[in-house]
Amino acid sequence: MNYRPAVFTWLALLILLGISLLATAMASTALRYTVHFLCAIAMAALVMVVFMQLRATSGLLRLFALGGLLWIALLLMLTLADVLTR
């Protein structure tokens, strides 16, 4: 078995985690949240492409994965709309 992609993905996830942890020391709140969200998106994309093997699957499974991402994005937007309007 070839473990090289999994090991490189794990290392990339650790690096992104480190970047996210370092972002907590930033003075700018907007920049900090932007870095956190970008790291989270990159982590999710790495997990989906490498560990879930979406690159080698059928179009229907990719469509459902995209639908799940859109559903989470909708829930996040509704949560932010509620929090920001208070």
Side-chain angles (χ1 to χ4, degrees), residues 57-84:
T57 60
S58 67
L60 186 62
L61 188 58
R62 289 182 190 175
L63 182 67
F64 274 93
L66 179 66
L69 283 177
L70 291 176
W71 181 252
I72 289 173
L74 176 69
L75 292 176
L76 180 65
M77 285 187 335
L78 291 174
T79 302
L80 286 175
D82 180 45
V83 169
L84 294 176

Side-chain angles (χ1 to χ4, degrees), residues 2-85:
N2 189 5
Y3 294 108
R4 182 173 284 173
V7 171
F8 285 144
T9 303
W10 178 69
L11 288 174
L13 289 172
L14 285 178
I15 290 169
L16 287 169
L17 176 66
I19 291 170
S20 183
L21 287 174
L22 288 175
T24 58
M26 288 183 180
S28 173
T29 305
L31 183 61
R32 182 181 342 152
Y33 288 142
T34 304
V35 170
H36 285 302
F37 281 131
L38 289 176
C39 285
I41 289 169
M43 287 178 182
L46 280 172
V47 168
M48 287 173 52
V49 170
V50 176
F51 293 123
M52 293 174 63
Q53 299 176 355
L54 285 180
R55 192 179 324 156
T57 60
S58 67
L60 186 62
L61 188 58
R62 289 182 190 175
L63 182 67
F64 274 93
L66 179 66
L69 283 177
L70 291 176
W71 181 252
I72 289 173
L74 176 69
L75 292 176
L76 180 65
M77 285 187 335
L78 291 174
T79 302
L80 286 175
D82 180 45
V83 169
L84 294 176
T85 56

